[in-house]
Amino acid sequence: MRRITRAIATLAVAVAAVSVARAEPQVQQRIDKRFAAGPRSEVPDFQRHVVPLMGKLGCNGRACHGSFQGQGGFRLSLFGYDFKMDYENLTKGDEAKDILPRVDTEFPEESLILEKATLTVPHRGGKRMDKGSWQYNVFLSWIRGGAPYLENGQRRKLQRLDVTPREIVFSRSGEKVQLRAVAHWETGEVEDVTPLCRFQTNDDQIAEISPDGLVTAKEAGDTHVVVFYDNGVVAIPVLRPVSDLVGDRYPAVPARTKVDELVIAKLKKLGIVPSEVCDDAEFLRRVKLDLTGTLPTPEEIRQFLADRSPDKRSRKIDELLRSPAYAAWWTQKLCDYTGLSDDALVNVVPRGVGRDASRDWYEWIYDRIARNVPYDKIVEGMVLAVSRAPGESYTDYCRAMSEIYRPGSQRRFSERPTLPHFWARRNFRQPEERVIGFAYSFLGLRIQCAQCHKHPFDQWSQDDFKQFAGFFTSVIASQNSSAPDARGEYDALLKKAGLDKKLRGNELRRKLASLLQDGKVVPFGEVYVRPVRSNARTNRKNNSKYVSSGPKAKLLGAEVVDLTRYDDPRKPLMEWLRRPDNPFFAKAFVNRVWASYFNVGLVNPPDDLNMANAPSNAALLDYLARGFIDSGFDMRWLHREILNSDTYQRSWVPNETNKHDERNFSRAIPRRLPAEVVYDALVQATGADEVVARMQTEMDGRAIALPNAGPRYARRNNGMAYALQVFGRSTRESNCDCDRTSDPSLLQVVFLQNDAAVYQMIDRKDGWLAQVAREHGWSFSPRRSSTLKRPANYERIVAAQRAKIAQLKKQGRKELAKQLAERLRAMLKRYGDPDAAKPQKGQGRSEADLSALVAQAYLRTVSRYPNDAELRRSVEYVKSAESPVDGLRDLLWALINTKEFIVNH
């Protein structure tokens, strides 16, 4: 009995082993091996073999037949996205243009696709393969097999592309590793497609890759090599340590937070030791500028440095997250991402009403960030925006809007539940514009390439682009009329206002603005959703209803949606954004926030989350995105999680292992301040104490709270507009983070050193210099020009003129004295009053007073106390100046022209 039982058990194991073996599909041999000896009876597949091979040989590249004009009368779709067009152009030709087909199934060896590529006949693209090569044999076998198209006319779905090894760690330059790519198709077929793949390296200084997928180590560092096949894109990390501090030799580095743990795990592979944590003064300046776009005040610095509690940094972060400057600065960033521009919002609201659509947009976002409304809720208010609130009639809507724009009204547009201005922009009207803008704003994708052809570095095809556009076709933005269901109400409001229905354009807008000034209710344009109609049809024979395939749209990388099931086709789009499995929404925002703090994103550029542009630390991006979702899209959670880490708080001072690291976050990277922050920093550094205090709580007049942007604003003739343009404020002209620049320029140096606006800030009546002069009883005269050289014996000339004027007045020659006095005033305005600079009686210059004032200048500008050498030199300079005010003026000017002032570090 036991023998029987044992035999049955053995048989069961054998059967199970056979089942497992059958469950694992066999990998088909590489095509270059199968066709090496010559043509075969096997007919290559058009999608799996022929099109990828044309891509591998460069036939469908931009410089060859993939260009929009084609080459030599023959055109292929760029990167092989359009199988139907490619097949027809290969097999049919064009008799009218005397263009022969490239494929000849009757005489396969005479096919032009073979003869041109082997230079049997002239070919402007040069030789692409040898006669008798495996590539030649693949094409010849396909043509001999009848050059078949796709099976059942349908393209197959590539389930996944497996590339091994999944990570490459080199130990020395010149080391080599061969990649292997295996395609898994939905039909169950599995094939080694390495010879059909295209390969690229993201940094050829770190790693080179051959056309066959052989990776060669170069310099130390890390990058990715990328494999392309069909619509599969796989990025493989490549690392070569920068030091021998790897494995057991890596020093013990504390990881206080999960962020630190994931960053250090990557640094450990690279042999990079992170810098020490920065001191308190450096942390305070960095975090306040990053989080609020505002310099710390001198008193704030003193209190923070004096605080000895261990949790003072986390408490400071929480304090800043509750400040109005945090809401203002991060509203500015969201306005960058979502495309707020004066130029795009022209005529969205009536002209001449004292406020504009840009201000509405800014305040709507500001209100929600200040209340810590979850990020997905803010986005929902844009994505699902319509002009009318739920249950609101068109007349009630117009009454509410008229109240908002009435002079002196306390109502605000931010009270409205949604932001229809997002859809009312004139550069966001067409479905194609909306696809590109939406993908940029909320998904961090540059999808515009797929509008015309397959994306060269991502999975998106032209079909993906067109199908995604279906979500945006039903949203209508009308400037001068209502939705169709309210045309009667619109006409009634026009009639009540005494306006002709034929009025249009600027004339109508001027009259509406005038009526609003008088407190009247006027009609407004509105954003509304046109109902999606199903393709319901009536069967004439039995009068029954049937529905064919209705309007549909496809989510990027996800399912097709039947839009007839929704009253608003944007609802499934918003549901998809919130889904935990959405690969873009949370990561796009997380990545942008990270880039704001570290100079580069985990994916860089931050607005280009394509599959070839892999994250430098995928585990960290996944962790933060998952945490952001689990927190309920709480933006403050995300800020705290990053800012409380040692990774954020590290010093900018490098060590031997991390001096070249700019993408793995082992040290702080000094970053030039953004344009708005530069301008506000200049105003604050040079302002009196009451100005500094006001800037912490009141955002009116702050550059970080300026809603207006774009070329229309840049053309305004004011100092702030010019300064913001010089320092690279976002123009918001295109769907690209590159509209904002932090690159240094000579013009920025000239502005800080010589622009009249800077001198006016230093010498203004509510400035720090004027305050110091008042407090010490010193005379204060603004320096009109720092560059004009006074005439020789200037003081004597002025004294002589004053004596002459006094003499003329004594003699009763008042008219001549008046003329001479006017000339003297002009000269004093041009060169300054020499007496104003002279120390007057009672002016003190004690060492203690000057040391305190020098320290104050440092705290105002570079947010730290001067060291002993700096203090000694500065005091000596101020003492040697013609007056303390002159010395302090020069010191303040010098400090705002240091790198330490203009960068966050």
PDB file of all heavy atoms in Angstrom, residues 667-682:
ATOM      1  N   ARG A 667      24.097  66.678  -1.601  1.00  0.00           N
ATOM      2  CA  ARG A 667      24.418  68.000  -1.055  1.00  0.00           C
ATOM      3  C   ARG A 667      23.428  68.997  -1.644  1.00  0.00           C
ATOM      4  O   ARG A 667      22.727  68.701  -2.629  1.00  0.00           O
ATOM      5  CB  ARG A 667      25.839  68.420  -1.428  1.00  0.00           C
ATOM      6  CG  ARG A 667      26.088  68.539  -2.923  1.00  0.00           C
ATOM      7  CD  ARG A 667      27.545  68.802  -3.239  1.00  0.00           C
ATOM      8  NE  ARG A 667      27.808  68.805  -4.669  1.00  0.00           N
ATOM      9  CZ  ARG A 667      27.806  69.899  -5.440  1.00  0.00           C
ATOM     10  NH1 ARG A 667      27.554  71.076  -4.909  1.00  0.00           N
ATOM     11  NH2 ARG A 667      28.084  69.796  -6.728  1.00  0.00           N
ATOM     12  N   ALA A 668      23.357  70.157  -1.045  1.00  0.00           N
ATOM     13  CA  ALA A 668      22.504  71.214  -1.591  1.00  0.00           C
ATOM     14  C   ALA A 668      23.198  71.847  -2.799  1.00  0.00           C
ATOM     15  O   ALA A 668      24.402  72.054  -2.785  1.00  0.00           O
ATOM     16  CB  ALA A 668      22.239  72.274  -0.531  1.00  0.00           C
ATOM     17  N   ILE A 669      22.434  72.128  -3.821  1.00  0.00           N
ATOM     18  CA  ILE A 669      22.964  72.786  -5.022  1.00  0.00           C
ATOM     19  C   ILE A 669      22.555  74.258  -4.976  1.00  0.00           C
ATOM     20  O   ILE A 669      21.358  74.563  -4.942  1.00  0.00           O
ATOM     21  CB  ILE A 669      22.415  72.135  -6.304  1.00  0.00           C
ATOM     22  CG1 ILE A 669      22.723  70.636  -6.324  1.00  0.00           C
ATOM     23  CG2 ILE A 669      22.989  72.832  -7.533  1.00  0.00           C
ATOM     24  CD1 ILE A 669      24.189  70.293  -6.356  1.00  0.00           C
ATOM     25  N   PRO A 670      23.520  75.190  -4.924  1.00  0.00           N
ATOM     26  CA  PRO A 670      23.150  76.611  -4.951  1.00  0.00           C
ATOM     27  C   PRO A 670      22.332  76.935  -6.198  1.00  0.00           C
ATOM     28  O   PRO A 670      22.679  76.533  -7.300  1.00  0.00           O
ATOM     29  CB  PRO A 670      24.506  77.331  -4.968  1.00  0.00           C
ATOM     30  CG  PRO A 670      25.452  76.355  -4.332  1.00  0.00           C
ATOM     31  CD  PRO A 670      24.980  75.004  -4.780  1.00  0.00           C
ATOM     32  N   ARG A 671      21.210  77.637  -5.980  1.00  0.00           N
ATOM     33  CA  ARG A 671      20.293  77.947  -7.081  1.00  0.00           C
ATOM     34  C   ARG A 671      20.028  79.451  -7.115  1.00  0.00           C
ATOM     35  O   ARG A 671      19.771  80.050  -6.075  1.00  0.00           O
ATOM     36  CB  ARG A 671      18.948  77.225  -6.875  1.00  0.00           C
ATOM     37  CG  ARG A 671      19.040  75.722  -6.875  1.00  0.00           C
ATOM     38  CD  ARG A 671      17.828  75.113  -6.167  1.00  0.00           C
ATOM     39  NE  ARG A 671      17.966  75.090  -4.731  1.00  0.00           N
ATOM     40  CZ  ARG A 671      17.005  75.408  -3.871  1.00  0.00           C
ATOM     41  NH1 ARG A 671      15.840  75.826  -4.311  1.00  0.00           N
ATOM     42  NH2 ARG A 671      17.213  75.331  -2.571  1.00  0.00           N
ATOM     43  N   ARG A 672      20.081  80.037  -8.303  1.00  0.00           N
ATOM     44  CA  ARG A 672      19.737  81.452  -8.396  1.00  0.00           C
ATOM     45  C   ARG A 672      18.274  81.642  -8.026  1.00  0.00           C
ATOM     46  O   ARG A 672      17.416  80.840  -8.394  1.00  0.00           O
ATOM     47  CB  ARG A 672      19.976  81.971  -9.809  1.00  0.00           C
ATOM     48  CG  ARG A 672      20.223  83.479  -9.856  1.00  0.00           C
ATOM     49  CD  ARG A 672      19.689  84.107 -11.118  1.00  0.00           C
ATOM     50  NE  ARG A 672      18.242  84.083 -11.139  1.00  0.00           N
ATOM     51  CZ  ARG A 672      17.505  84.145 -12.238  1.00  0.00           C
ATOM     52  NH1 ARG A 672      18.073  84.196 -13.405  1.00  0.00           N
ATOM     53  NH2 ARG A 672      16.187  84.129 -12.167  1.00  0.00           N
ATOM     54  N   LEU A 673      17.996  82.694  -7.282  1.00  0.00           N
ATOM     55  CA  LEU A 673      16.631  82.940  -6.847  1.00  0.00           C
ATOM     56  C   LEU A 673      15.720  83.173  -8.053  1.00  0.00           C
ATOM     57  O   LEU A 673      16.132  83.785  -9.039  1.00  0.00           O
ATOM     58  CB  LEU A 673      16.584  84.162  -5.928  1.00  0.00           C
ATOM     59  CG  LEU A 673      17.390  84.092  -4.629  1.00  0.00           C
ATOM     60  CD1 LEU A 673      17.252  85.408  -3.863  1.00  0.00           C
ATOM     61  CD2 LEU A 673      16.927  82.931  -3.768  1.00  0.00           C
ATOM     62  N   PRO A 674      14.471  82.709  -7.989  1.00  0.00           N
ATOM     63  CA  PRO A 674      13.520  83.007  -9.072  1.00  0.00           C
ATOM     64  C   PRO A 674      13.276  84.504  -9.192  1.00  0.00           C
ATOM     65  O   PRO A 674      13.489  85.266  -8.232  1.00  0.00           O
ATOM     66  CB  PRO A 674      12.244  82.268  -8.638  1.00  0.00           C
ATOM     67  CG  PRO A 674      12.701  81.234  -7.665  1.00  0.00           C
ATOM     68  CD  PRO A 674      13.895  81.826  -6.973  1.00  0.00           C
ATOM     69  N   ALA A 675      12.802  84.928 -10.344  1.00  0.00           N
ATOM     70  CA  ALA A 675      12.689  86.358 -10.646  1.00  0.00           C
ATOM     71  C   ALA A 675      11.876  87.119  -9.601  1.00  0.00           C
ATOM     72  O   ALA A 675      12.299  88.179  -9.108  1.00  0.00           O
ATOM     73  CB  ALA A 675      12.060  86.531 -12.033  1.00  0.00           C
ATOM     74  N   GLU A 676      10.692  86.594  -9.258  1.00  0.00           N
ATOM     75  CA  GLU A 676       9.839  87.299  -8.297  1.00  0.00           C
ATOM     76  C   GLU A 676      10.514  87.396  -6.930  1.00  0.00           C
ATOM     77  O   GLU A 676      10.384  88.408  -6.236  1.00  0.00           O
ATOM     78  CB  GLU A 676       8.502  86.568  -8.145  1.00  0.00           C
ATOM     79  CG  GLU A 676       7.690  86.449  -9.426  1.00  0.00           C
ATOM     80  CD  GLU A 676       7.985  85.176 -10.200  1.00  0.00           C
ATOM     81  OE1 GLU A 676       9.098  84.624 -10.059  1.00  0.00           O
ATOM     82  OE2 GLU A 676       7.110  84.734 -10.957  1.00  0.00           O
ATOM     83  N   VAL A 677      11.223  86.354  -6.556  1.00  0.00           N
ATOM     84  CA  VAL A 677      11.893  86.331  -5.249  1.00  0.00           C
ATOM     85  C   VAL A 677      13.064  87.313  -5.232  1.00  0.00           C
ATOM     86  O   VAL A 677      13.314  87.980  -4.220  1.00  0.00           O
ATOM     87  CB  VAL A 677      12.349  84.901  -4.919  1.00  0.00           C
ATOM     88  CG1 VAL A 677      13.041  84.860  -3.561  1.00  0.00           C
ATOM     89  CG2 VAL A 677      11.166  83.944  -4.934  1.00  0.00           C
ATOM     90  N   VAL A 678      13.779  87.422  -6.355  1.00  0.00           N
ATOM     91  CA  VAL A 678      14.866  88.405  -6.454  1.00  0.00           C
ATOM     92  C   VAL A 678      14.327  89.805  -6.211  1.00  0.00           C
ATOM     93  O   VAL A 678      14.879  90.579  -5.408  1.00  0.00           O
ATOM     94  CB  VAL A 678      15.548  88.340  -7.837  1.00  0.00           C
ATOM     95  CG1 VAL A 678      16.510  89.522  -8.008  1.00  0.00           C
ATOM     96  CG2 VAL A 678      16.303  87.042  -8.012  1.00  0.00           C
ATOM     97  N   TYR A 679      13.241  90.146  -6.894  1.00  0.00           N
ATOM     98  CA  TYR A 679      12.706  91.507  -6.778  1.00  0.00           C
ATOM     99  C   TYR A 679      12.245  91.792  -5.348  1.00  0.00           C
ATOM    100  O   TYR A 679      12.586  92.830  -4.767  1.00  0.00           O
ATOM    101  CB  TYR A 679      11.550  91.709  -7.748  1.00  0.00           C
ATOM    102  CG  TYR A 679      11.100  93.143  -7.837  1.00  0.00           C
ATOM    103  CD1 TYR A 679      11.742  94.034  -8.699  1.00  0.00           C
ATOM    104  CD2 TYR A 679      10.059  93.627  -7.041  1.00  0.00           C
ATOM    105  CE1 TYR A 679      11.351  95.365  -8.763  1.00  0.00           C
ATOM    106  CE2 TYR A 679       9.669  94.949  -7.102  1.00  0.00           C
ATOM    107  CZ  TYR A 679      10.312  95.818  -7.963  1.00  0.00           C
ATOM    108  OH  TYR A 679       9.929  97.127  -8.020  1.00  0.00           O
ATOM    109  N   ASP A 680      11.492  90.864  -4.764  1.00  0.00           N
ATOM    110  CA  ASP A 680      11.023  91.072  -3.395  1.00  0.00           C
ATOM    111  C   ASP A 680      12.188  91.116  -2.411  1.00  0.00           C
ATOM    112  O   ASP A 680      12.149  91.859  -1.421  1.00  0.00           O
ATOM    113  CB  ASP A 680      10.060  89.951  -3.001  1.00  0.00           C
ATOM    114  CG  ASP A 680       8.663  90.155  -3.578  1.00  0.00           C
ATOM    115  OD1 ASP A 680       8.388  91.249  -4.085  1.00  0.00           O
ATOM    116  OD2 ASP A 680       7.854  89.204  -3.525  1.00  0.00           O
ATOM    117  N   ALA A 681      13.229  90.321  -2.650  1.00  0.00           N
ATOM    118  CA  ALA A 681      14.390  90.325  -1.761  1.00  0.00           C
ATOM    119  C   ALA A 681      15.085  91.683  -1.793  1.00  0.00           C
ATOM    120  O   ALA A 681      15.543  92.184  -0.751  1.00  0.00           O
ATOM    121  CB  ALA A 681      15.362  89.218  -2.158  1.00  0.00           C
ATOM    122  N   LEU A 682      15.172  92.292  -2.971  1.00  0.00           N
ATOM    123  CA  LEU A 682      15.763  93.626  -3.069  1.00  0.00           C
ATOM    124  C   LEU A 682      14.927  94.644  -2.303  1.00  0.00           C
ATOM    125  O   LEU A 682      15.471  95.494  -1.579  1.00  0.00           O
ATOM    126  CB  LEU A 682      15.866  94.041  -4.542  1.00  0.00           C
ATOM    127  CG  LEU A 682      16.950  93.350  -5.373  1.00  0.00           C
ATOM    128  CD1 LEU A 682      16.760  93.651  -6.858  1.00  0.00           C
ATOM    129  CD2 LEU A 682      18.336  93.780  -4.920  1.00  0.00           C
TER     130      LEU A 682
END
